[in-house]
Amino acid sequence: MSPEVEAPLRRWLFDGRLRHYQADALERVDASGSGPLHIVAPPGSGKTLLGLLLAMRRGTRTLVLAPTITIRDQWAAEARRLTPEAGAVSTTSEAPGELTALTYQSLSVLDGENPLAALAHERWLRELEADGRSTDAASAWLDALRSGNHRTYAAGIARRSRTLRRRIAQEDPDALSRALHPNARALIERLVDHGVDTVVLDECHHLLDHWALVVAALVAGLRDAGRSPLVVGLTATLPSPDDGNAYDNYTSLLGEVDYEVPIPAVVREGNLAPYREYVRFVEPTTDELAFLSGAATGLAVLIRSTFAHGDGAAHLIGMLQPPVEGKAGAGADGDAETPGPALAPPPPASSARAAPNDADIRLARAFADDFAGAEAASAMLATVHPDHPLVARLPTAARRKPTTEESLRLLGRFALDRVLPDPAARDRWDRIRSALADFGFSLTDRGLRRTRDPIDTMLASSLSKDRAVCDILRLERDRMGTRLRALVVSDFREHGNRHGGLVSRAGALRTFDVLATDAATADLRGALVTGSTTRIATRHAGSLAEAWTAALGVEVATAAVAENPAVTEISAPGVGAAGFVRAAATLLSRGQLDVVVGTRGLFGEGWDCPAVNTLIDLSSVATAPATQQLRGRALRLDPDWPEKVAHIWTVTALLPPSSPIDAAPDLSRLRRKQARLWGVHRDDPRRIVRGLAGALTAEQRRLLAPGSLPSADELDSLTVVEPRGLSRASWQIGTDYLDRESTETVIVRRAADPTFRTRRRADAVLGAGTATAGIVAAAALALMVAGAVGGVGAVGVAGVAAGAVALIGAMAAGAPVARAWWRSRRAHAEAPELYRRIARTVVAALQRAGRIGDGATPEVIVERPTDAGGFQHLGLRLTHATLAEQHVFAGAMSELLGPIRTPRFLLQVDAGGRSPLVRWLLKRARVGSGARGGGGAQGRSQFLAVPASFGMAGGRLRSFAEDWQRTVGPCTLHFVDSPEALALLAEARRGGAVAGDLAVIERWD
């Protein structure tokens, strides 16, 4: 603690009862030191009290910073319950108290006349000059814009000022401090002079931009005054490292997490309501699909005309047959109509390995250099030139129709490589740029980049989502009756994109209009609350106007909405958005409202209404902080319903299977939202898991796997909304828990299928070799017996000698074959035993690489017996290991058994072997099978990607291969260290992954 600092908060008193995890956190963290404390706990878990208790333990004057006025006031109210002095808590910057609660904005307001505006103007001038304008012309253009369209000019200055502020804050924090408004600088000085020694940062995930640096400037000022301040960061969820420099700002201020409270622990203790995640799938409306189909048709024509012949076709071949050092000839850019005529159909796999074809070498190099680009070019070539010889050499997964995004990126790359350098092709360049812009890509001479995607915008804003809200509310109302209290959250009051076929703008306004006019929800008493508008259904205007008047304490006025007579707008003099938001919580709690439709900015964080039991998420933001905070609105305990169970719905739009566009941005958003959320496993309610398994059934996840085209109705038919009582029972509230997170690999496979497609072939040839050796040995033994019976003459002696030689030879040659056959038979007899052996070899390799500890032990569990469809569910876990080590193991198993990308080493299974005879037999089996199978899937070898986490040391990798040979079966390790060896990658990728679906699941116990 800082020396000679007053400690008034030590007089404060808490005489309540702590929750288990609150007491545990207070016991584990040290509030007396000068290092930051970083605590993660979900909404509703008591972070406010925990932060106050830490401040009380330290005792010194405290500053609390919150993101909104509502949250600031909650801190102040909670603090006043702990202090014996009425004036000890302040929410004003002019008169700090023993504890002062402010907003982040009060510290970080920039001076309206700050130097960043001038710097931004200069930056804009330089950009215009770089675009080819003279200095005078650029200056004149900007001056004209400032006087003629000041709003646009101001927006441009503001945008550039933000960029400059981030850069200056990184490179010159003093400059940022000077750019603060004088009132903000005076406030920082006042807080330092007041003796603040503890700084509590609530919802600290907001500290991703300049706020983190401004707070750091405050802390630096406290240190300059001779103090060692304590910084306490509280958040419901961590920001992502993908935020780059902003994330660095955050971690440099708060460091690593000191204590984390997972949501399942809070629910299990009965301090948050149990919940279930559900997903409602929809498809765009007819009008929306008409726009998308028209755009897709135009794109298809452009793509086919570009790549079906001429330089477009040559471009594809050039991407797939790049030059390889020391090689020349086949596959280079040639005649456009028939590029690469020297290419021949692929030979059987074994022959290709014996004498690598130049086309295979170039193909492998293309995938090694740019996997995504080569895969896209492969798909396009297979579509527009299906009979080209190179198509037969492509990986199986690439011989398909290209996705929309692949087509767009290929088009952009072609334009940059082939069109832009040609001065005569300006019209073609403009045509391609326009087509790409329609699908959310900006093409410039600097490359191709994502912009606002009309497809994504349309799916996120589809009118079908609003209709789905009505269906969900009807379903919940039918189950809950008058107990329904729902919150529907959209991104904005009004948003979207009028591009193409969008018939109306989306947002909370439109959602409420649909809700108020839909027959299924006509009887629900709803309200729309945004920052500027509050509306109710006209049919309920009389009773609800009175209810709002009572809740606000001010007479409300009603006014008809011209564009929709079914809706009435209400207003109250002197009452702003914050007042209506608080009143909405009151009316929901009283049962005078059934549903509130609002925006994420007002309701996504800091709004408390324990009565909410149904949340419908229409937002398009998928960051972990926003997703966690939004769900917290439904998880508060309801004193009027002790048995409350919350239902949380996410509405996701998919294109129908018949759509010519292959894109699923809203599904990707769903995956990102669910990635960090805990929930009850949809198929196994005994488990609490993180990710899609908590929201979708295994069958739904299977249908949504890449390559599948399910309809929204097909997916929705698999959603079963279970009784809330069952969901509550699944959480096992009040029972003991380990508070342990773990990661496991789950494999779903057909019990009747071999894991490796080469297994039956290898088993047959090794079995035949063993049987042959046995027959020879038996014949030799018979010859020896016959010789012995024949007497001691020359014939008898010769018979015994010949039999002995034959017996020794049969045993010498047959014993290794028999051992290999018996070892493989035993390993592959049951799938759990095979995966157990594979897991042991992986763990041993990771231990040799120093990635996991020596005590880590793999475990294979049959999660569920073979079901009616013949599927078997296996779970692979790592015991006696840290969570980080479990992640390493799961990643290694996924890499080993999943699709092959660009590994440095390949493991060929059911090949090689310690004995020359075993190697010869397996090689002959591959040659024979390749000849019979014509190079098809059954005739190919099985390759596995050696996980990168094993490292590059040759000795360790050879040890891995030896372990595999000893415990699993014959194998050969290939080092991809030359262009010729790269040809193996093409064959390996043609083969695909091992049998079965593999997923990594995080669970909590």
Side-chain angles (χ1 to χ4, degrees), residues 511-765:
T511 301
F512 187 74
D513 285 349
V514 173
L515 178 66
T517 55
D518 192 285
T521 52
D523 59 333
L524 291 178
R525 295 163 298 173
L528 166 75
V529 182
T530 72
S532 59
T533 306
T534 301
R535 293 181 178 179
I536 56 178
T538 301
R539 69 174 64 88
H540 300 135
S543 60
L544 285 184
E546 293 179 5
W548 280 98
T549 295
L552 292 169
V554 178
E555 187 74 27
V556 301
T558 61
V561 177
E563 62 269 21
N564 188 354
V567 173
T568 296
E569 191 159 321
I570 63 174
S571 59
V575 179
F580 278 101
V581 168
R582 288 192 295 269
T586 300
L587 295 177
L588 274 175
S589 299
R590 292 175 180 172
Q592 294 173 296
L593 281 178
D594 301 313
V595 56
V596 170
V597 178
T599 59
R600 183 168 49 84
L602 292 179
F603 294 92
E605 182 174 340
W607 180 72
D608 288 329
C609 181
V612 172
N613 50 47
T614 301
L615 171 68
I616 303 177
D617 181 5
L618 297 180
S619 68
S620 60
V621 176
T623 62
T627 302
Q628 293 275 25
Q629 287 290 341
L630 181 57
R631 275 146 180 77
R633 302 317 102 207
L635 302 186
R636 306 284 183 176
L637 297 178
D638 184 358
D640 295 329
W641 186 23
E643 301 298 307
K644 169 183 170 179
V645 175
H647 281 180
I648 301 172
W649 290 84
T650 302
V651 184
T652 298
L654 301 175
L655 292 171
S658 59
S659 172
I661 299 175
D662 181 8
D666 220 28
L667 177 60
S668 298
R669 185 177 297 112
L670 172 67
R671 295 184 192 279
R672 296 196 304 274
K673 283 185 176 184
Q674 293 292 326
R676 301 301 301 167
L677 297 177
W678 291 105
V680 176
H681 197 288
R682 290 292 299 155
D683 300 304
D684 185 358
R686 300 167 301 173
R687 295 194 291 171
I688 306 297
V689 297
R690 178 181 270 156
L692 273 180
L696 301 177
T697 66
E699 180 63 13
Q700 286 174 314
R701 300 196 304 275
R702 186 188 67 79
L703 289 173
L704 289 171
S708 299
L709 294 173
S711 68
D713 287 343
E714 184 179 8
L715 290 165
D716 287 335
S717 69
L718 298 171
T719 298
V720 177
V721 181
E722 67 183 17
R724 279 176 158 85
L726 286 180
S727 297
R728 185 176 183 86
S730 298
W731 281 98
Q732 304 176 53
I733 297 171
T735 62
D736 293 336
Y737 59 90
L738 300 174
D739 195 13
R740 179 185 65 193
E741 294 183 32
S742 60
T743 300
E744 68 178 24
T745 305
V746 175
I747 297 171
V748 181
R749 59 182 300 278
R750 288 191 179 276
D753 292 345
T755 300
F756 303 137
R757 62 175 167 272
T758 54
R759 174 86 302 264
R760 290 183 177 133
R761 185 180 67 209
D763 190 49
V765 72

Side-chain angles (χ1 to χ4, degrees), residues 17-39:
R17 181 176 179 180
L18 291 174
R19 301 171 184 176
H20 167 74
Y21 47 82
Q22 289 173 326
D24 189 45
L26 289 171
E27 181 179 330
R28 292 196 191 187
V29 301
D30 180 14
S32 62
S34 59
L37 295 179
H38 193 183
I39 297 173

Side-chain angles (χ1 to χ4, degrees), residues 461-471 505-507 510-512 514-515 518 618 651:
S461 308
S462 174
L463 179 62
S464 296
K465 288 192 171 186
D466 296 337
R467 295 170 178 167
V469 168
C470 298
D471 293 337
R505 294 182 69 83
R510 192 188 70 184
T511 301
F512 187 74
V514 173
L515 178 66
D518 192 285
L618 297 180
V651 184

Side-chain angles (χ1 to χ4, degrees), residues 145-317:
L145 181 66
R146 177 162 44 188
S147 59
N149 190 348
H150 186 74
R151 183 176 180 179
T152 299
Y153 172 82
I157 291 294
R159 189 166 57 250
R160 289 164 176 82
S161 293
R162 286 192 294 270
T163 301
L164 285 167
R165 183 172 58 203
R166 287 191 291 268
R167 182 176 60 80
I168 292 173
Q170 287 286 331
E171 299 172 3
D172 188 0
D174 289 339
L176 178 64
S177 179
R178 292 193 300 271
L180 289 174
H181 192 281
N183 292 344
R185 292 199 297 269
L187 172 57
I188 290 177
E189 293 172 4
R190 193 157 53 246
L191 292 169
V192 173
D193 293 341
H194 184 62
V196 167
D197 185 64
T198 301
V199 180
V200 179
L201 308 172
D202 192 24
E203 307 300 356
C204 57
H205 56 271
H206 287 281
L207 298 173
L208 281 178
D209 201 349
H210 70 285
W211 281 4
L213 294 146
V214 173
V215 171
L218 166 65
V219 174
L222 296 174
R223 292 195 176 109
D224 289 343
R227 297 179 205 134
S228 300
L230 172 69
V231 178
V232 180
L234 302 171
T235 184
T237 186
L238 293 171
S240 169
D242 295 337
D243 292 311
N245 287 339
Y247 180 79
D248 293 339
N249 297 339
Y250 176 91
T251 55
S252 65
L253 183 64
L254 295 172
E256 297 298 323
V257 174
D258 295 290
Y259 191 86
E260 182 170 5
V261 181
I263 283 183
V266 188
V267 175
R268 185 69 64 87
E269 287 199 28
N271 295 315
L272 282 180
Y275 59 94
R276 261 295 197 182
E277 291 269 356
Y278 292 100
V279 179
R280 175 63 181 243
F281 294 97
V282 299
E283 294 174 0
T285 66
T286 302
D287 289 338
E288 293 165 349
L289 286 173
F291 160 69
L292 294 176
S293 296
T297 300
L299 177 66
V301 171
L302 177 61
I303 286 174
R304 183 161 289 278
S305 65
T306 298
F307 293 115
H309 53 77
D311 52 357
H315 177 71
L316 294 177
I317 300 302

Side-chain angles (χ1 to χ4, degrees), residues 443-495:
L443 177 64
T444 69
D445 56 5
R446 290 176 292 178
L448 190 70
R449 64 181 180 87
R450 269 277 184 195
T451 59
R452 190 172 186 181
D453 183 352
I455 299 175
D456 188 3
T457 300
M458 179 171 289
L459 290 175
S461 308
S462 174
L463 179 62
S464 296
K465 288 192 171 186
D466 296 337
R467 295 170 178 167
V469 168
C470 298
D471 293 337
I472 293 169
L473 290 174
R474 176 189 54 77
L475 183 152
E476 294 286 4
R477 189 263 326 273
D478 290 347
R479 289 170 173 264
M480 301 189 68
T482 59
R483 197 183 288 281
L484 174 65
R485 304 288 184 274
L487 173 65
V488 182
V489 178
S490 185
D491 284 312
F492 304 104
R493 174 182 182 274
E494 192 174 22
H495 66 93

